[in-house]
Amino acid sequence: MPDASATPLVPGEGCGTARRRRGGPVSAVCLAAIQLAAILMPPVLPAMAEEAASRSVPYLTIRNRTGDTDPRRFYGSERGVLDAGYCDIAERRLDILAPIADAAPFRIPEEILRVADIRPMPRDEVLSALAASSAGASPLLYTHGFYIDFDKGCRRAAILQRNAGLEGRFLWFSWPSDGNLLNYTQDEADLYWSVLDIAEAIIELADRFGPGVVDLAGHSLGARGMVLAIHDVVAQRPEVKLGDLVLLAPDMDFDLFTRLLPRIRPAVQSITVYVARADRPLALSQQVHGYPRLGQTGNDVSRLEGVEVVDLSALQVRSPTGHLYHVYNAEVGADMDQLLNQGLSAAARRNMVQLEANLWRLEPGE
C-alpha cells in the first residue's frame, strides 16, 4: 500500500525526474505508477508481417503540433488549440501467431497496427464528412484514458471503432495525455484542462446533428472527463439532449459520480457503465485517491438510478492489466454494438444475466 504521507513531487515533474523534498519517501502516486509499470508494458511481438488494407479514424485534438514529419510524432503531449483531421492506420497481419494466440495468458493480436499518415483538415470538413458517412446513424464521440500518446490512442481508437461496429459514425477526441506511465497526476491536470474543450465539441455535435442523437463514450480517465464535460454542457445549455453514454472502466470517484448523476442523467438517453473485478489499474487508482472507482466491482450500484452496470468479470482476462477489455475482448465490442447500433437495453442483449435491478453480468459467448 503506498505511503499516504509521502512527500509530494515538485510540480510539473514526473516520478522519474522528480526531486524528493527533504529526502522524503517516494510519493504514493509514483509508487502506484511503478507498480503499474510492471503489469502495463506490452509484449514484444515479431515484426515479420505483410501490410494489408488501411483504414482511417477521424479525430479532434487539443494536442500541440510538433513539426515532426513522422506521423507517429505529428502531435505531442503539450496543450494546443483544437485541431481536426484523419489518422490513417495500416494493418499488418501476424498469422504466424495464430496457433498460439488462444493459449496465451492474454490475447496476442492477430495484427499489428501502425499510424501510416496524419491528415489535418478543417474541423467543418471533418464533421461534414462524418454526417455523410454516418448515413443517418448517431455519431459517437469517444475519448481515451491515461498513458496514451497520439500514436497509441489512434491505434486503439481504430480497434474500438471496428470491434463495436462504429465505422462511419466514430469521432475520436484526443486530449494531451503524456503517454508517460509515471505522469499520472500531470495527465489528471491535462484532463481537467481539456474538459471545457470536450464540452464544446459535444455542443457543436449536438447543434449539428440534432437533439438526442449524439452518443458519447470514454475510457478510464477519459470517462471522468466525459462525465465532467456533460455536467458543463448541462450548465451552459440545459436544453441540450444527447444520446447514449458509455463509460468503460471509468477512473472516477464512485461517490462523486453519484452526486453528479441527477444533473447529467436528464441530458442523456441512457448510461451504461462497464466494470471488471480484475481491473488492476483501477485498484491502484483507489489506493492513490483513497476512494473506490466507478469502474470497480463491489460498489453499491443500487445508488445509480437510471444507470445500467455491466460486470465483465466472467470474461477471460485478455490484457495484462484487465483494464483494456474494450480493445482486447470481442464480447465487449459485440455488446456495445447491440447497445449503440441496435438500441438494445441490457435485458435485451445477448449473454446477459441479471444480478440486481440495474446490475448485469456479461457471460462469454458460445
Side-chain angles (χ1 to χ4, degrees), residues 275-300:
V275 304
R277 182 176 57 250
D279 194 320
R280 298 169 75 181
L282 289 189
L284 290 173
S285 181
Q286 179 183 0
Q287 291 182 16
V288 169
H289 293 96
Y291 295 96
R293 317 319 286 163
L294 177 60
Q296 292 180 289
T297 58
N299 292 313
D300 181 9

Side-chain angles (χ1 to χ4, degrees), residues 58 86 123-139 168-171 205 208-209:
Y86 291 88
R123 185 167 76 253
D124 187 67
E125 290 186 25
V126 172
L127 296 183
S128 295
L130 180 66
S133 63
S134 61
S138 300
R169 52 169 296 205
F170 186 88
L171 180 63
L205 288 169
R208 180 179 288 259
F209 288 91

Side-chain angles (χ1 to χ4, degrees), residues 5-13 18-27:
S5 65
T7 304
L9 299 175
V10 175
E13 295 184 336
R19 303 184 299 274
R20 296 183 192 175
R21 297 179 182 173
R22 298 185 300 278
V26 68
S27 74

